[in-house]
Amino acid sequence: MSTNAPHFGNGSVIASRAAFTHTGSPRPARPGQLDQGLAENIAGGVDPEQLSEVSHATAWALLSHVHATDDPAVVARTLTLVDHEGVDVIAELWSHAEPDSLPGVLWRLYLLRTWMRRQRDAIARLWRLGEPIATSASAIAGVDTAPTEEDIARTADSILAGAFRGDFAVALERASTFVDVVVLGLRVEAKRMTARAAAMADVDSPVVGTTEEIHTLRGQAARLLHTAANLQTTAKDLRAGAHLWRRGQLE
């Protein structure tokens, strides 16, 4: 029996309490664009205070560098930083940063882009489920009411590009709104699964299902709600980051 559950399989980016956590990606052979000395220090391990200093310094350096350039190649390389360096290298730099810091926010934006591109099919469907509930979300996030897979991929790039080339706070608000709609879609999907499982369990219902099918549906619904709760935390982190940026307090 098909339950039409969105698939977040191996190699995907899924939500955790802090941000998005990578699962299943191979480690990069070597960093391709990071300063080699910095990469070696990361690989060799640094103390937490030094790592914090490095994470903040690299985040500000990257943001300032891209804002100061008109070279489209630099912008393109920045957008695909995780693709070239490998998520583990970027994670060593920024994943331990507080969510209310610039490196912490950039980490969430990069992992959001990776997740959106890799799971574009499932996310497009979840958006179509959640968007009717969030009436102004399409205008804020810059997404069609019924996006295709490619629309999701373009939006992922557009949000990250906006962070580097446009208004940083607006980019964070777009990202948080986008995540909010996906959360709504996950909750709608979970509600449907729960209702179907309940119908299967009702002896007077025409819907027939085995005990195993009922258990599977309930388990899938619980996992979707867990993912939704984690993503909601990320959306709040991004929105808080936008507020701090406007006040000049995102450091």
Side-chain angles (χ1 to χ4, degrees):
M1 181 192 68
S2 173
T3 59
N4 294 319
H7 175 66
F8 303 100
N10 290 337
S12 68
V13 178
I14 60 176
S16 73
R17 291 299 296 177
F20 295 93
T21 303
H22 187 266
T23 58
S25 173
R27 294 187 67 86
R30 65 177 294 275
Q33 295 169 26
L34 288 178
D35 176 80
Q36 188 61 35
L38 175 59
E40 290 172 357
N41 284 335
I42 293 171
V46 294
D47 66 67
E49 183 176 349
Q50 184 181 358
L51 182 59
S52 177
E53 292 177 0
V54 170
S55 70
H56 284 77
T58 53
W60 279 107
L62 185 65
L63 190 64
S64 300
H65 179 62
V66 180
H67 266 289
T69 185
D70 292 322
D71 186 349
V74 171
V75 178
R77 285 197 301 272
T78 302
L79 293 182
T80 57
L81 186 64
V82 168
D83 303 336
H84 291 293
E85 302 295 351
V87 71
D88 295 322
V89 171
I90 307 305
E92 289 285 354
L93 276 175
W94 294 341
S95 67
H96 302 293
E98 293 297 323
D100 57 352
S101 68
L102 182 64
V105 166
L106 284 179
W107 169 244
R108 284 154 177 76
L109 285 177
Y110 270 108
L111 268 294
L112 176 62
R113 174 190 178 270
T114 302
W115 184 63
M116 288 171 65
R117 292 186 66 85
R118 290 182 178 178
Q119 301 293 341
R120 63 186 73 177
D121 181 31
I123 292 174
R125 189 170 62 80
L126 290 171
W127 178 278
R128 292 192 290 270
L129 289 175
E131 195 277 336
I133 304 172
T135 54
S136 61
S138 292
I140 296 173
V143 185
D144 291 337
T145 56
T148 65
E149 296 177 35
E150 291 309 309
D151 289 333
I152 296 299
R154 281 192 294 269
T155 300
D157 288 345
S158 174
I159 288 173
L160 188 58
F164 284 101
R165 301 296 291 160
D167 187 312
F168 193 75
V170 169
L172 294 182
E173 288 170 344
R174 285 186 65 197
S176 64
T177 299
F178 184 91
V179 174
D180 282 339
V181 176
V182 174
V183 167
L184 290 173
L186 284 165
R187 289 173 177 165
V188 169
E189 186 80 351
K191 185 176 181 179
R192 290 179 177 178
M193 289 179 178
T194 301
R196 183 167 180 80
M200 288 179 175
D202 186 349
V203 294
D204 295 324
S205 171
V207 181
V208 179
T210 66
T211 301
E212 182 179 355
E213 287 173 333
I214 294 170
H215 178 74
T216 297
L217 277 171
R218 287 173 175 168
Q220 288 175 336
R223 286 192 292 274
L224 292 184
L225 290 175
H226 180 69
T227 298
N230 291 337
L231 284 171
Q232 191 67 67
T233 297
T234 298
K236 290 178 180 177
D237 289 340
L238 293 168
R239 194 168 288 112
H243 179 67
L244 289 171
W245 178 266
R246 287 198 170 101
R247 295 174 58 183
Q249 295 176 344
L250 188 66
E251 299 178 351

